[in-house]
Amino acid sequence: MLALPAVAAAQAPTPTPTPTPTPTPTPTPEPVSGKLKLKIQKTFRDQGRNVALTRDAWRVRGEMRPYVSGQTVLVRFIRNGKVLHKQTEKLKPIKGGKVGLFLTPYRAKHAGPVSVKAVHFKTAEMKTVLSNKPRVIVLRPDVHASGTVVRLLQKGLAKLRYVNSRSGIYDDSTARAVMAYRKVTGMARTYSASEAVVRGVLAGRGTFKVRYPRHGHHVEADLSKQVLVLIDHGKVQRIYHMSSGKPSTPSVLGSFHVYRKSPGTNSHGMVHSSYFIGGYAIHGYVDVPAFNASHGCLRVPIPDSWSIYRWVRMGDVVWVEP
């Protein structure tokens, strides 16, 4: 009887082990779709177009949505179907990681239109993405070859406060502004817009430094540069080509006030005169050479004389500086 429990225990069935479940495989994620947009930066704008000068640097800004780490794009610069340059760019996250950014610099040696295209080739994470195709007109800095260059020059001169027309034609007004620009920048005193002039103007070089910024609404005549400058509370308003007194009849130096204004043309051929001391005046004249040639007055070209006459007020300070 004592052996019965042991026998019974020996005859008990062995429990069946619970099988381990087979894990469900994680599905491979589908590559995502994206959008790739290019924008041209650091060029000039003319009639809605992007314009650059030969050898000037500009760049392409590209943004791809969404940003996926590790992705790259291929950027191509194309002219007439020929690839001028291509470059692979790696995306960098911006806007909280939602957008991928790249910046691609470029400069063209030769004139002609340049189109830009970018592509993201398909990867496991992202589908193929094609960009828009912006265009840049690349021009030689020659005012005789393109009306676009003339328009850009005129716009640049006006921004620097050199008085000129916005006709899109290299007219007398533009030539006088170029003469004034050349005087201020110390270049040869001619009326022609060389490559150096065009590049200098479009780069924003050639500002006039105001000597007396606290003198309110006033005139500064710089005899060393032979320019007349209208200034209002420290800010240059207009810059003009001028001719002052020749060595035998020099202009008086110092600070004066406009005490008389005489419109029209007098017997000496002085046009729209603003007198600041004795018989010395700011006035228009038929002959305004690149050098000092007057009898002591401050001569300006007749086409500019009326606008100067209207701007200058009675009592305004006129500085005549060597």
Side-chain angles (χ1 to χ4, degrees), residues 201-268:
V201 169
L202 297 189
R205 297 189 292 269
T207 57
F208 180 85
K209 185 177 180 180
V210 178
R211 296 189 185 185
Y212 304 98
R214 298 183 180 179
H215 282 208
H217 193 273
H218 72 284
V219 179
E220 293 186 14
D222 189 323
L223 303 192
S224 65
K225 294 180 171 60
Q226 289 291 293
V227 292
L228 187 85
V229 185
L230 310 184
I231 300 161
D232 191 15
H233 293 86
K235 295 184 178 180
V236 173
Q237 303 298 308
R238 307 176 193 172
I239 306 173
Y240 295 94
H241 159 52
M242 175 197 80
S243 177
S244 64
K246 57 189 175 183
S248 58
T249 53
S251 299
V252 291
L253 302 178
S255 173
F256 312 97
H257 291 269
V258 174
Y259 72 91
R260 181 162 68 93
K261 293 174 67 67
S262 176
T265 305
N266 66 16
S267 58
H268 299 289

Side-chain angles (χ1 to χ4, degrees), residues 24-41:
T24 303
T26 303
T28 303
E30 289 291 324
V32 299
S33 299
K35 292 184 179 181
L36 180 54
K37 184 176 181 180
L38 305 183
K39 183 178 180 181
I40 304 299
Q41 295 182 324

